[in-house]
Amino acid sequence: MADEGGTDDPAAEEEYEYFFTGNVQFEGEALEGVLITVEGNGFDADTETDADGRWTIGVPEKAEYEVTLDQDTLPEGVVVLEGQDTVTAEFGLTKRKAVNFFLGEGQRVTVNYFDQVVQRVVSGLNFGLLLALAAIGLSLIFGTTGLSNFAHAELITFGALMVLTFGVNLAWPLWLAIIVALVLSAALGWTLDAALWKPLRRRGVGLIQLMIVSIGLSLALRYTYQFFYGGSTSQLPGATLPSDIRFGAVALSWVDLVSMGVSIVVLLAVAFFLLRTRIGKATRAVSDNAPLASASGIDVDRVIRIVWVLGALLAGLAGILWAYFRPGVSWDMGFQILLLVFAAVTLGGLGTAFGALVGSLIVGLFVEVSTLWLPSDMKYVGALVILIVVLLFRPQGILGRRERIG
Amino acid sequence: MDWGAIFGNAAVELISPTTAAYALAALGLAIHFGFTGLLNFGQAGFMLLGAYGYAIPALKLGWPWWACLLTSLLASVIFALILGIPTLRLRADYLAIVTIAAAEVLRLTFTTNEFAPVTGSANGLSEYQRDLLTLNPLPDGRYGFGPWVFSDRAWFFLILGWIVVILAALLTWLLMRSPWGRVIKGIREDEDAVRALGKNVYSYKMQSLILGGLFGTVAGIIFVMPRAVVPSYFQPTLTFFIYAILLLGGAATILGPILGSIVFWVLLSFFSGFIARAVEAGWLPFMTQVQAGQLRFILVGVAIMLIVVFMPQGILGNKKELAFVK
Amino acid sequence: MSSEITPKAKPVKSTGLHVGDPAPGVKKVDPILIADGVKRTFGGLTAVDVEHVEIPRNAITALIGPNGAGKTTFFNLLTGFDKPDTGDWSFEGRSLAHIPAYRVARMGLIRTFQLTKSLGLLSVMENMKLGAKDQTGENIFRGLIPSLWRKQDREIEDKAQDLLKRFKLDAKKDDYAASLSGGQRKLLEMARALMSDPTLVMLDEPMAGVNPALTQSLLDHILDLKAQGMTVLFVEHDMHMVRHIADWVIVMAEGRVVAEGDPHEVMQDQAVIDAYLGAHHDTDLGSTDTGHVEAIKELIDDEQ
Amino acid sequence: MTNSEPTASPVLEPTGDMVVEVRDVTAGYLPGVNILNSCSLTAREGELIGIIGPNGAGKSTLLKSIFGLVKVREGGIFLQGEEITNLKANKLVAKGVGFVPQTNNVFPSLSIQENLEMGVFQKPKDLKHRLEFVTEIFPDLKKRLGQRAGSLSGGERQMVAMSRALMMGPHVLLLDEPSAGLSPVRQDEAFLRVKEINRAGVTTIMVEQNARRCLQICDRGYVLDQGRDAYTGTGRDLLNDPKVIGLYLGTLGTDE
Amino acid sequence: STGGTSEPEESEAPAETGDAQPIEAGERDLTLKVGTILPQSGALAFLGPPEEAGVALAAQDINDADLGLQVEVVYRDSGDTTTDTATVSVTDLLSQDVSAIIGAASSGVSKTVIDQIVAAGVVQFSPANTSADFTNYDDNNLYWRTAPSDVLQGEVLGNLIAEDGNATLGMIVLNDAYGTGLAQFTRDAFEAAGGEVVAEALFNEGDSSFDAQISEVTAANPDAIALITFDQAKIITPALVGSGYPGDKLYFVDGNLSDYSADFAPGLVAGSKGTLPGLDVGTLGDFTDRLLEVDPALQDYSYAAESYDALVLIALAAYAANSVEGTDIASYLRQVSGGSGEGEKVDTFAAGAEALAEGNQIDYDGPSGPVTFDENGDPTEATIGIFQYLDDNTYERIGDG
Ligand SMILES: Nc1ncnc2c1ncn2[C@@H]1O[C@H](COP(=O)(O)OP(=O)(O)OP(=O)(O)O)[C@@H](O)[C@H]1O
Ligand SMILES: Nc1ncnc2c1ncn2[C@@H]1O[C@H](COP(=O)(O)OP(=O)(O)OP(=O)(O)O)[C@@H](O)[C@H]1O
Ligand SMILES: [Mg+2]
Ligand SMILES: [Mg+2]
């Protein structure tokens, strides 16, 4: 229903500069032929509502008027509550003033509390799985090299930006764009390690120093993205298609389903990799004691390279899903969730892959569910407070282990 | 290219109150991280408390400047206690995330519209300097020499800021060469060992957290004095920059943070001026004015990386330490 | 750098430390530390389960036992670095349960760590000075005024200098502790513990990795300290050392105290030999003669 | 027994192929500070070499520089005639060299089993039978293969560390104080096993502070002092050399 | 841009005449140096290009007019408040002796630098600030702005939503001066017209996803939803419509009314409406085309007209004062805008300068609308356009508020 909002009754327009306008509805249905009177400052005029229940009356000056609805012209069975048939209305700064009469009980069907909780829980889980995908890469890199990689956010953004470049700017088919984006993400991880981290490790630069390097890298990459992609948000192909797969109160889109599915499968695969494969165990060995790992015949640099490639790949994948889930691609999209990703990894226990998963789910849930009680502009507060509280009781994180002393 | 202006502007940053504020905040971090080994990533939170702790009583209660100052110091101590009690037991990397989280909780609390009447929410607060300005002994007008021509008000805040920085550096120097400083440095290396020697590690860590936090708090006040306060100043990025400054100067040094802050701001100003003029002069034809603004941050990021790569111990840091870093 | 060792006369052993027969948990004439029912489990594993043990004052007590017997864990529990599931223990009559580690240390009970904890980026001298107790300048406010602590600091430094010389670390005093070799760290750990003039010092394998010649001269120092009234409790696997200086030996196995007594007697105990010392403990293991290999193999097989 | 002057040249020149040769090596950690000063050492096929010396003499540094963990500044290191100076550790493992460091010698967050698996990283197929071999030497480990190494006692760690190196079935074995922290019976066992393994053809270089025991079993000993190979001789000779006794071995345990 | 929003003077009636200073007739020979601190980097960077283009176009027009006043513009970055770039930029600009500084876009950034600029006696002129704090700021009369008042737009939007027959309204609002100010006046107008705001969910700059806000608002099942945001609408809208809310019941505002044809699935927001201050493009002639000539990469035109007018007004005031001193310019700004109540209506710099050269008072109205300043330097009037989205997610003007 595309009303001509703002266009005026041509007759009135010629006569006066200022207008009252409004609607008369009963239980949400427009009422036609209801008589409306405007009175005041020695002026008085009336009109009837049209088929859409709307009316407009021009008045000569900007002042206070009484707008009255004539009860007698209402259809059978419709009544106006005592005293609500007349409204005193005054113009503000503009030349138009709306006066509506909404009659009847006006029952709005709101979503009940339980359904709201269910909705939030589902989107919290969905968000949590997505965070987990991003977090697990971070956790892997931390676990293997001890580096808190603040540039992980930019690896997340990278995946999405590549799909944007190939899928939208170059208009390649989406599946191809995604594959290329993932390959490039992995390549970025490889390159970063080869060009930056490996030489730094060689020189024995400390972990905190490396962390600051990652902060610098994050800054440089982020603004490079802004340099080339600008400051605004774009959408990937198909990201804005409305869809309604409904499970009771919960509306999910195909994007949500795919992203949940992909997250679960990938997370299981990573867990298998870490716990069961030789390289997976080697990553943990390297993180514990790199010189000893080397003395055991493990090619430390190669293991770290693999982890970087894998971490960047997972981050890129998370970025693509994130671009669909949000939806939108922008230069700082990864940076915006970096803190949540870190919180998730820490909450679960630094360097433990399952910890990252558990932590992510908790953070995701808290972000979404906590706004049932918190103002929505404080929605991250819930997740951050839970992080602090959990660490109060388990300083080593949920799945982390305490080291023995002595 | 107007090199004079570029260097002149860079020279202004040499002594600007912002430089002083960052230097002081970095000095606080030096106490936390450089000397005690506390990976506090919530310095922005302490600065926020300084700024709001000063501004709110000044504006809403009309308190005199010293009462406002005390309020923010008190707020900072309370924050340090609340933050410290649960977190000082944590391993360094956990502590980092928790302190970021706590600072973010603070920032979001000051941002939310719920408390807008007190905090001004995202719009922040302004014009709380009046009472302090009544102390300004300088005559009205703009004066100075070379590139350093400022209004009396700017001079006043500038001088005040640097006096505080010098006092703080002196205090830190005295402390770090005392047995107290030795315990603190011992804790950085291995707190269990220090505990086994009969030192109350928890209490020392708390003292360090409070002291460094107070520096951050005063830095917050210095930072917002010449301007207004909005919560978005105090994002994690602020702490990141302060860390960069700290490492640039040398983490476990006293003059390092100050030198780091000066170098950081002079460089930033230099990049800004140079790139903008280079684009204006058509030296970078492929680039728009808008991209020039972004290029500067790319360069800052790269500069941070290069500094750490080529001087991992910082300008004033001890090179020998490098052989043993973990 | 090495110096000749002039073997001293045999150390004077303290005797008459216990009341009644030397059995596990035997009462001591003058106990300084008493532990009662101290138990610590990790998951299903009972690491420490000590019913009753007393450590005699002004004597050198050795705590020995197989690997994993719970010696280090017991140390951790006594010094507040770990919390037992149950149990009471007291030091000089004051209960130590729920007392944090640093306060235990302040009461005069200092321990060292088996896996050394040197303060890497502090110089060796600073490591030592940190060990001294009751330093005025360790208070943040008094620390600000050098005149308040200068004098004390100098005294501490002199003392540290002496100890370092004894421990053959004086040449390294201005180097970072991180640059010490494994054995030097052990030495530093012990020297640092001695800085605070402890009433009871608990050493966890202090001589593992220390050169035997140096060990010998350090033992003399420990004996000196005992003569000045200090009590020592140490864990050690070097039986020569135990025999040489220990006045009393406590044997732990699988978390329990299984034997106590005079070093020579305990080491004759068949159970101790079986579980801990091994049958050919005092025999020469080697002989270049290759025919011996078979015999060696047999020896090992006997063990199992 | 009457050697008042320790001999600088070995009494007994063993025959057999040169396996490890350290030729005038100078090495150190900090720039400008040399820990090893043109230090030399040789080990022939099947030899068991013991290295003793005061604390801080550079024994660990010597082993680390053989294994490529400390940068060699001058001189060269050869493995069966091939130069391996500053070669990366994992390459050396591939060449059959095993190493047990003095400290930090386990992976604390890995279980014992996983620690041992890391030992056969390059030959995963050998896992099963090597595992049997190793747990036979240290039966204590067998019961608790799932325990995290970080929670082990000092002696248990040491066992894990040695087992890890034995897992790879090395051709050359470098041991840095393998007996430290072990109970006497385990120490004896460890020494005997080392001897046994050595007799099976593994050239072994072992640093020990338990000097007597070490010299009792080894073919040849080196005494290192201040980064130089001060004395060398057969184990027996050194054991009985009064100078060596006075400077390095002490008299504890002999006069009782 | 942001605004707790000043209550603009209820002054359709011009201030009493006679407080206008006389204009000296005759030729001018002035060189005016103006700086900008508009966002090139940071979170608000998407606002920078149209604003800088507006300034550049104005400079081009002024210089082409060749009437004895040449402007030179120095562009610097304001960053956002997280980076504290603005102070460095202002130091740089002041060192080049600019007479006026156009910017910043964000009220927070403006607050950061206002003291520094004002203390130097330079005019600060924001094209986008709407925060109420500036109205009575101690600025020596040097702070000005062309940004339309939130009161106006809020009222138009509130009335529009009511007129369309919506009884209940939900709002998703950016928590900053701009968002909360505009939301407040929209709510006032809507509730005065008999409607009810049933849900208002705020989010912060830098928030990444808006699920919580969307479910909070849709849970209340309002007849219409107003999105009072900047660029975030690009994320919120598809998520909102994707969750099942009708795409024709949304209302947009100046911060986010843009061409979504490239971003959204066709028809996603067809029928939804929005408000945008400024004159009808039809009456402006080729303003947007000319902007595109200046910067072909422009994607939208937010605050371009306000920026254009800012520079033209500064130039006219300098012309009127026959001086490029900041304080002199400031003392003429109000009267060239028509704020002192008299003067010939002009709508280009050339016309204005010619009139001034003859010694006449002028009243400049530019592409951003009938600009008229009150004594605080705030605009009192604005034209607010009403727009509606078409099936291809582009929008067209359907009236004025
Ligand atoms: N945190 C822990 N988690 C699980 N098991 C532990 C933990 N700490 C100790 N243990 C186990 O408890 C037992 C006792 O360990 P403890 O370190 O006390 O032995 P110890 O007697 O000092 O041995 P050693 O002579 O080898 O040093 C060991 O088997 C060890 O594996
Ligand atoms: N990482 C290091 N950095 C600098 N110097 C070091 C480092 N490690 C050891 N050193 C120094 O090198 C010398 C030799 O050390 P090394 O560890 O080789 O001694 P060691 O003979 O193995 O002694 P120990 O028997 O005590 O283990 C010592 O003086 C020590 O201080
Ligand atoms: Mg032990
Ligand atoms: Mg060694």
Side-chain angles (χ1 to χ4, degrees), chain A residues 339-356:
Chain A
L339 184 61
L340 291 184
V341 174
F342 265 106
V345 170
T346 313
L347 186 59
L350 283 171
T352 59
F354 283 112

PDB file of all heavy atoms in Angstrom, chain A residues 339-356:
ATOM      1  N   LEU A 339      36.690  -8.595  19.747  1.00  0.00           N
ATOM      2  CA  LEU A 339      36.691  -8.716  21.198  1.00  0.00           C
ATOM      3  C   LEU A 339      35.851  -9.909  21.634  1.00  0.00           C
ATOM      4  O   LEU A 339      36.216 -10.646  22.554  1.00  0.00           O
ATOM      5  CB  LEU A 339      36.173  -7.432  21.838  1.00  0.00           C
ATOM      6  CG  LEU A 339      36.225  -7.442  23.356  1.00  0.00           C
ATOM      7  CD1 LEU A 339      37.648  -7.601  23.853  1.00  0.00           C
ATOM      8  CD2 LEU A 339      35.613  -6.187  23.922  1.00  0.00           C
ATOM      9  N   LEU A 340      34.722 -10.107  20.942  1.00  0.00           N
ATOM     10  CA  LEU A 340      33.880 -11.253  21.297  1.00  0.00           C
ATOM     11  C   LEU A 340      34.623 -12.555  21.016  1.00  0.00           C
ATOM     12  O   LEU A 340      34.525 -13.517  21.777  1.00  0.00           O
ATOM     13  CB  LEU A 340      32.569 -11.213  20.504  1.00  0.00           C
ATOM     14  CG  LEU A 340      31.617 -10.092  20.873  1.00  0.00           C
ATOM     15  CD1 LEU A 340      30.331 -10.217  20.081  1.00  0.00           C
ATOM     16  CD2 LEU A 340      31.300 -10.110  22.359  1.00  0.00           C
ATOM     17  N   VAL A 341      35.351 -12.581  19.918  1.00  0.00           N
ATOM     18  CA  VAL A 341      36.099 -13.792  19.588  1.00  0.00           C
ATOM     19  C   VAL A 341      37.146 -14.059  20.671  1.00  0.00           C
ATOM     20  O   VAL A 341      37.287 -15.180  21.155  1.00  0.00           O
ATOM     21  CB  VAL A 341      36.765 -13.651  18.204  1.00  0.00           C
ATOM     22  CG1 VAL A 341      37.657 -14.842  17.916  1.00  0.00           C
ATOM     23  CG2 VAL A 341      35.714 -13.531  17.122  1.00  0.00           C
ATOM     24  N   PHE A 342      37.841 -13.018  21.066  1.00  0.00           N
ATOM     25  CA  PHE A 342      38.836 -13.176  22.124  1.00  0.00           C
ATOM     26  C   PHE A 342      38.168 -13.614  23.423  1.00  0.00           C
ATOM     27  O   PHE A 342      38.684 -14.481  24.136  1.00  0.00           O
ATOM     28  CB  PHE A 342      39.602 -11.869  22.351  1.00  0.00           C
ATOM     29  CG  PHE A 342      40.884 -11.810  21.592  1.00  0.00           C
ATOM     30  CD1 PHE A 342      41.009 -11.010  20.476  1.00  0.00           C
ATOM     31  CD2 PHE A 342      41.962 -12.578  21.989  1.00  0.00           C
ATOM     32  CE1 PHE A 342      42.196 -10.970  19.766  1.00  0.00           C
ATOM     33  CE2 PHE A 342      43.148 -12.539  21.294  1.00  0.00           C
ATOM     34  CZ  PHE A 342      43.256 -11.726  20.173  1.00  0.00           C
ATOM     35  N   ALA A 343      37.051 -12.998  23.722  1.00  0.00           N
ATOM     36  CA  ALA A 343      36.345 -13.359  24.948  1.00  0.00           C
ATOM     37  C   ALA A 343      35.983 -14.836  24.910  1.00  0.00           C
ATOM     38  O   ALA A 343      36.150 -15.558  25.898  1.00  0.00           O
ATOM     39  CB  ALA A 343      35.102 -12.499  25.109  1.00  0.00           C
ATOM     40  N   ALA A 344      35.524 -15.295  23.755  1.00  0.00           N
ATOM     41  CA  ALA A 344      35.125 -16.689  23.631  1.00  0.00           C
ATOM     42  C   ALA A 344      36.305 -17.614  23.855  1.00  0.00           C
ATOM     43  O   ALA A 344      36.224 -18.591  24.604  1.00  0.00           O
ATOM     44  CB  ALA A 344      34.518 -16.930  22.254  1.00  0.00           C
ATOM     45  N   VAL A 345      37.412 -17.282  23.216  1.00  0.00           N
ATOM     46  CA  VAL A 345      38.594 -18.135  23.326  1.00  0.00           C
ATOM     47  C   VAL A 345      39.072 -18.179  24.776  1.00  0.00           C
ATOM     48  O   VAL A 345      39.434 -19.228  25.305  1.00  0.00           O
ATOM     49  CB  VAL A 345      39.703 -17.589  22.399  1.00  0.00           C
ATOM     50  CG1 VAL A 345      41.007 -18.286  22.676  1.00  0.00           C
ATOM     51  CG2 VAL A 345      39.306 -17.786  20.958  1.00  0.00           C
ATOM     52  N   THR A 346      39.054 -17.033  25.417  1.00  0.00           N
ATOM     53  CA  THR A 346      39.543 -16.955  26.787  1.00  0.00           C
ATOM     54  C   THR A 346      38.613 -17.678  27.745  1.00  0.00           C
ATOM     55  O   THR A 346      39.036 -18.395  28.645  1.00  0.00           O
ATOM     56  CB  THR A 346      39.642 -15.489  27.212  1.00  0.00           C
ATOM     57  OG1 THR A 346      40.278 -14.775  26.179  1.00  0.00           O
ATOM     58  CG2 THR A 346      40.440 -15.350  28.485  1.00  0.00           C
ATOM     59  N   LEU A 347      37.328 -17.447  27.529  1.00  0.00           N
ATOM     60  CA  LEU A 347      36.336 -18.061  28.398  1.00  0.00           C
ATOM     61  C   LEU A 347      36.491 -19.568  28.396  1.00  0.00           C
ATOM     62  O   LEU A 347      36.413 -20.229  29.429  1.00  0.00           O
ATOM     63  CB  LEU A 347      34.945 -17.649  27.897  1.00  0.00           C
ATOM     64  CG  LEU A 347      33.750 -18.050  28.718  1.00  0.00           C
ATOM     65  CD1 LEU A 347      33.864 -17.482  30.106  1.00  0.00           C
ATOM     66  CD2 LEU A 347      32.487 -17.533  28.053  1.00  0.00           C
ATOM     67  N   GLY A 348      36.717 -20.114  27.218  1.00  0.00           N
ATOM     68  CA  GLY A 348      36.814 -21.565  27.120  1.00  0.00           C
ATOM     69  C   GLY A 348      38.140 -22.101  27.631  1.00  0.00           C
ATOM     70  O   GLY A 348      38.263 -23.277  27.914  1.00  0.00           O
ATOM     71  N   GLY A 349      39.128 -21.243  27.731  1.00  0.00           N
ATOM     72  CA  GLY A 349      40.459 -21.728  28.116  1.00  0.00           C
ATOM     73  C   GLY A 349      41.376 -21.525  26.932  1.00  0.00           C
ATOM     74  O   GLY A 349      41.188 -22.160  25.895  1.00  0.00           O
ATOM     75  N   LEU A 350      42.357 -20.659  27.093  1.00  0.00           N
ATOM     76  CA  LEU A 350      43.204 -20.295  25.960  1.00  0.00           C
ATOM     77  C   LEU A 350      43.892 -21.507  25.363  1.00  0.00           C
ATOM     78  O   LEU A 350      44.429 -22.337  26.082  1.00  0.00           O
ATOM     79  CB  LEU A 350      44.255 -19.282  26.415  1.00  0.00           C
ATOM     80  CG  LEU A 350      43.747 -17.860  26.580  1.00  0.00           C
ATOM     81  CD1 LEU A 350      44.804 -16.997  27.236  1.00  0.00           C
ATOM     82  CD2 LEU A 350      43.361 -17.288  25.236  1.00  0.00           C
ATOM     83  N   GLY A 351      43.853 -21.580  24.064  1.00  0.00           N
ATOM     84  CA  GLY A 351      44.589 -22.620  23.381  1.00  0.00           C
ATOM     85  C   GLY A 351      43.908 -23.967  23.336  1.00  0.00           C
ATOM     86  O   GLY A 351      44.407 -24.895  22.732  1.00  0.00           O
ATOM     87  N   THR A 352      42.756 -24.105  23.971  1.00  0.00           N
ATOM     88  CA  THR A 352      42.054 -25.376  23.867  1.00  0.00           C
ATOM     89  C   THR A 352      40.957 -25.244  22.817  1.00  0.00           C
ATOM     90  O   THR A 352      40.146 -24.331  22.878  1.00  0.00           O
ATOM     91  CB  THR A 352      41.396 -25.776  25.195  1.00  0.00           C
ATOM     92  OG1 THR A 352      40.481 -24.736  25.553  1.00  0.00           O
ATOM     93  CG2 THR A 352      42.412 -25.928  26.302  1.00  0.00           C
ATOM     94  N   ALA A 353      40.961 -26.148  21.865  1.00  0.00           N
ATOM     95  CA  ALA A 353      40.037 -26.014  20.746  1.00  0.00           C
ATOM     96  C   ALA A 353      38.588 -26.163  21.206  1.00  0.00           C
ATOM     97  O   ALA A 353      37.713 -25.380  20.827  1.00  0.00           O
ATOM     98  CB  ALA A 353      40.366 -27.050  19.689  1.00  0.00           C
ATOM     99  N   PHE A 354      38.345 -27.131  22.057  1.00  0.00           N
ATOM    100  CA  PHE A 354      36.967 -27.302  22.516  1.00  0.00           C
ATOM    101  C   PHE A 354      36.541 -26.142  23.392  1.00  0.00           C
ATOM    102  O   PHE A 354      35.389 -25.741  23.399  1.00  0.00           O
ATOM    103  CB  PHE A 354      36.814 -28.619  23.274  1.00  0.00           C
ATOM    104  CG  PHE A 354      36.744 -29.787  22.368  1.00  0.00           C
ATOM    105  CD1 PHE A 354      37.752 -30.718  22.319  1.00  0.00           C
ATOM    106  CD2 PHE A 354      35.653 -29.931  21.521  1.00  0.00           C
ATOM    107  CE1 PHE A 354      37.690 -31.786  21.446  1.00  0.00           C
ATOM    108  CE2 PHE A 354      35.576 -30.984  20.653  1.00  0.00           C
ATOM    109  CZ  PHE A 354      36.606 -31.928  20.606  1.00  0.00           C
ATOM    110  N   GLY A 355      37.513 -25.621  24.116  1.00  0.00           N
ATOM    111  CA  GLY A 355      37.228 -24.450  24.933  1.00  0.00           C
ATOM    112  C   GLY A 355      36.718 -23.320  24.074  1.00  0.00           C
ATOM    113  O   GLY A 355      35.756 -22.639  24.419  1.00  0.00           O
ATOM    114  N   ALA A 356      37.354 -23.128  22.925  1.00  0.00           N
ATOM    115  CA  ALA A 356      36.922 -22.057  22.036  1.00  0.00           C
ATOM    116  C   ALA A 356      35.469 -22.269  21.618  1.00  0.00           C
ATOM    117  O   ALA A 356      34.683 -21.328  21.543  1.00  0.00           O
ATOM    118  CB  ALA A 356      37.820 -21.997  20.810  1.00  0.00           C
TER     119      ALA A 356
END
